[in-house]
Amino acid sequence: MRHFPKGFVMSSDRVLVVIGRTRHKMVVAELQEAVKRGAKFVELRLDFLAKAVDFKRLTPLKQCPWVATLRRPSDGGRYNGTEPERMMILRQAIVSGAFEWVDLETDIAGSVPRFGPVKRIISYHNTTETPANLEEIYAAMLDQDGDVYKVAVAAHTTDDVARVIQLQRSAPKPTVAFCMGDLGQPTRFLSLKFGAPWIYAAFNKERGIAPGLPSFDEFRTTYPVKSISADTKVYGVVGDPVGHSLSPLLHNHMYKKLGVDALYLPFRVLRGQLGPALEAYEKIPVHGYSVTIPHKEAAAALAREAEPNVQVTGAANTLVRRDDGKFVAANTDYAAATESLKAHLVDRAKGGPVTQLSQLSVLLLGAGGVARSVAFSLHREGAQITITSRTYERAQRLAEDVKCKAVDWHARHNVTFDVLINCTPVGMHPNVDESPCHFSVLKPGTIVFDTIYTPETTLLIREALARGCDTITGVDMFVRQAARQIELFTGLLPDVTVMRQIMRKALSPLTKAFEENEGGDVPHPEPPKADDE
């Protein structure tokens, strides 16, 4: 059941945009720009201001409802004055006529009487933990005179996340409950699915307003918060780290284009905690996961069923929920790399005889999750493989499993090859001036395949092009494996060409806005982290 406060008109995008600046002039500038970009509900963090605010000077700028918030350091704020002074400023804000809403912490709400039409958010913030008595704290808040109740706590385990989701899900009054930090970031979006009247967003994410607070632009580029409902299916990427993954952007855009009511989220899960996490998120439920480091082997082991390529590689990058709640494991990386290579060989043949992978020698850089899938897939095609890794023991173990050759990292430049495949993170943003090999080994006609997709044109790819090599970028493999995941999740075939266009826009200086009319350009998301070696 969705709860809306009495007399409150929901903004069309369900986003409460938070503005926190130290100078009045910058507050004015961000207020104007936020409305220009479509903000319909704004929270002013008065505790960020270096000087006392003149509410009369702000009032003429109003173009949408405002929330007044003056947060103490103990609650995650920056106000450094005395408590009597803070209470006086809050009362002034309430009677000023500038604000439709005021945020009052639960311990002071009883000391600030309701005034006129100003609505009240009763809030509880805990920036250090999810307290054992959180449910008791929330029950006491519900007895206070509020229009909306806000609970924001720090999560350290998936059990913390599950508790907050359950609190939101069973809320008897309008409530916004979520966990701060990247571990709990999914709860910010799931609160909308389970009845929250709005979601918080930072107009300027770099201001450090709250841990894990998403930016307003992310809702325009990546997350379709306008359409989230109780019926929305949930998918996500699980790993550590996942905060910079472009998978949410790509999947959410494709679900929209396919007409699927679904939301794809990043789920950070610590190493060794995949099992408990899947159990904790059963009640949401999450219908499917993309799996990245360090959980690919664990995903394969936990699944009730597994596709043959999972059994071969011992790793899974996809989990699909069955009707009985158990998971089927797949490895879409397995075929994606060889499909990219085969497509390139067909294009290179230009209608003539196509070179087969079995005719090629491959030098594989790396021995991690992606390298493992690529190695087994190439071995099946009959390619002659040599594996090298910065940790020789890992390369040797993988080579023994695949039944191919391994060489020491320092000897990689002595290997003769037709195809070079980089499965290490060397050259990935922000270390874009690095390369996993010396450019002297890049001979004209050699195929150079870099599985990194941020940036798409890595230093390795750039130098390979300059030396007359054929190149394949990580975007192609990333899109192919994601397309197969979407098919497994939804039963629908996505348009791979459209997916490539979305990725290239996301990786360019500007990316298309995620709005109903798909109009306007906004800054692109932060580049994602790649799979480690």
Side-chain angles (χ1 to χ4, degrees):
M1 179 179 178
R2 191 167 303 285
H3 303 290
F4 299 124
K6 184 179 179 181
F8 177 59
V9 179
M10 275 295 301
S11 63
S12 62
D13 55 2
R14 306 162 68 189
V15 178
L16 177 49
V17 180
V18 185
I19 291 178
R21 301 292 298 204
T22 57
R23 291 186 295 165
H24 176 89
K25 181 171 67 174
M26 295 306 298
V27 170
V28 171
E30 288 202 352
L31 279 171
Q32 293 172 333
E33 184 62 22
V35 172
K36 181 180 176 182
R37 295 195 190 185
K40 297 179 176 65
F41 195 20
V42 171
E43 178 184 59
L44 290 183
R45 287 292 300 270
L46 304 177
D47 50 301
F48 272 64
L49 286 165
K51 297 181 181 179
V53 63
D54 184 344
F55 298 123
K56 291 182 179 179
R57 290 178 61 194
L58 286 177
T59 304
L61 300 170
K62 282 183 60 65
Q63 297 184 55
C64 66
W66 288 357
V67 178
T69 299
L70 188 62
R71 194 99 54 218
R72 301 166 293 199
S74 59
D75 299 309
R78 298 189 180 185
Y79 183 72
N80 56 12
T82 67
E83 187 62 6
E85 290 170 339
R86 190 175 79 98
M87 295 286 284
M88 179 183 67
I89 296 171
L90 282 169
R91 292 190 178 100
Q92 288 173 347
I94 292 170
V95 303
S96 69
F99 298 94
E100 286 79 8
W101 291 78
V102 63
D103 185 307
L104 302 170
E105 293 86 2
T106 181
D107 63 318
I108 68 163
S111 303
V112 182
R114 186 180 286 272
F115 178 83
V118 178
K119 296 181 176 62
R120 295 154 60 92
I121 301 169
I122 308 299
S123 66
Y124 170 76
H125 293 77
N126 190 320
T127 59
T128 60
E129 64 174 348
T130 301
N133 64 336
L134 178 64
E135 291 76 11
E136 295 175 15
I137 293 170
Y138 176 64
M141 291 170 63
L142 294 176
D143 290 332
Q144 296 179 299
D145 182 18
D147 297 284
V148 170
Y149 300 84
K150 177 186 178 185
V151 174
V153 295
H156 297 291
T157 67
T158 50
D159 285 340
D160 292 339
V161 175
R163 284 179 61 203
V164 172
I165 290 174
Q166 182 57 33
L167 186 147
Q168 174 70 67
R169 192 169 194 164
S170 60
K173 293 183 179 181
T175 298
V176 184
F178 57 86
C179 296
M180 293 178 281
D182 53 359
L183 193 66
Q185 192 174 46
T187 62
R188 292 182 177 271
F189 300 93
L190 292 170
S191 66
L192 288 176
K193 176 178 171 66
F194 297 126
W198 61 69
I199 184 172
Y200 287 83
F203 180 74
N204 188 332
K205 194 173 182 178
E206 295 180 359
R207 301 304 300 170
I209 293 171
L213 182 64
S215 72
F216 184 37
D217 280 342
E218 284 180 273
F219 299 158
R220 303 176 66 212
T221 62
T222 305
Y223 300 103
V225 294
K226 296 179 184 179
S227 60
I228 298 173
S229 71
D231 297 326
T232 299
K233 284 191 173 182
V234 178
Y235 301 94
V237 54
V238 59
D240 186 19
V242 292
H244 298 291
S245 173
L246 283 185
S247 290
L249 182 146
L250 183 60
H251 279 253
N252 284 323
H253 269 278
M254 292 312 298
Y255 297 151
K256 179 181 177 182
K257 290 182 181 295
L258 292 169
V260 176
D261 182 10
L263 174 68
Y264 185 101
L265 299 171
F267 290 88
R268 183 188 173 211
V269 174
L270 304 178
R271 184 182 292 273
Q273 295 299 309
L274 182 62
L278 296 184
E279 184 176 349
Y281 296 146
E282 277 184 6
K283 293 182 180 179
I284 295 174
V286 179
H287 288 272
Y289 293 98
S290 305
V291 182
T292 186
I293 57 170
H295 302 303
K296 291 186 178 183
E297 289 80 8
L302 287 171
R304 180 60 59 88
E305 294 181 37
E307 291 187 346
N309 55 28
V310 173
Q311 297 169 353
V312 169
T313 62
N317 76 331
T318 310
L319 291 172
V320 184
R321 186 184 181 91
R322 302 190 315 191
D323 291 340
D324 64 0
K326 304 302 181 182
F327 285 98
V328 178
N331 188 329
T332 67
D333 285 332
Y334 182 84
T338 51
E339 287 173 0
S340 292
L341 277 166
K342 287 179 179 180
H344 178 79
L345 291 171
V346 169
D347 290 341
R348 189 168 77 163
K350 298 179 180 179
V354 178
T355 303
Q356 303 301 307
L357 289 176
S358 59
Q359 299 173 260
L360 300 175
S361 58
V362 179
L363 175 60
L364 189 65
L365 307 179
V370 171
R372 190 170 185 84
S373 298
V374 172
F376 275 101
S377 184
L378 287 172
H379 176 70
R380 182 180 181 184
E381 296 291 336
Q384 305 302 308
I385 309 166
T386 301
I387 299 173
T388 185
S389 169
R390 289 171 293 183
T391 305
Y392 178 68
E393 291 75 14
R394 297 189 72 188
Q396 194 172 37
R397 284 196 300 270
L398 178 55
E400 289 173 356
D401 292 342
V402 179
K403 296 180 174 55
C404 66
K405 182 180 178 182
V407 299
D408 186 85
W409 182 253
H410 298 292
R412 67 193 186 282
H413 296 128
N414 298 326
V415 177
T416 301
F417 55 85
D418 302 305
V419 182
L420 174 71
I421 304 179
N422 177 38
C423 294
T424 79
V426 179
M428 182 188 70
H429 180 90
N431 302 313
V432 295
D433 294 327
E434 297 180 359
S435 173
C437 69
H438 195 276
F439 303 136
S440 62
V441 301
L442 305 178
K443 308 300 183 184
T446 300
I447 298 173
V448 177
F449 184 178
D450 199 335
T451 62
I452 291 171
Y453 63 90
T454 53
E456 180 177 7
T457 304
T458 60
L459 179 60
L460 175 61
I461 291 292
R462 189 163 65 246
E463 292 295 333
L465 285 168
R467 285 162 171 75
C469 300
D470 293 342
T471 60
I472 306 172
T473 72
V475 166
D476 193 70
M477 178 177 170
F478 180 77
V479 164
R480 289 177 187 276
Q481 64 84 26
R484 176 60 180 152
Q485 287 181 336
I486 291 171
E487 182 184 0
L488 290 169
F489 291 161
T490 68
L492 302 173
L493 286 171
D495 189 324
V496 176
T497 300
V498 171
M499 293 176 70
R500 287 194 189 96
Q501 292 170 350
I502 291 170
M503 282 296 295
R504 291 198 165 107
K505 286 179 181 178
L507 292 167
S508 69
L510 295 175
T511 189
K512 200 75 169 176
F514 196 160
E515 296 179 320
E516 291 300 326
N517 59 3
E518 294 198 353
D521 287 328
V522 293
H524 68 83
E526 285 296 313
K529 296 184 183 297
D531 202 350
D532 197 0
E533 185 185 313

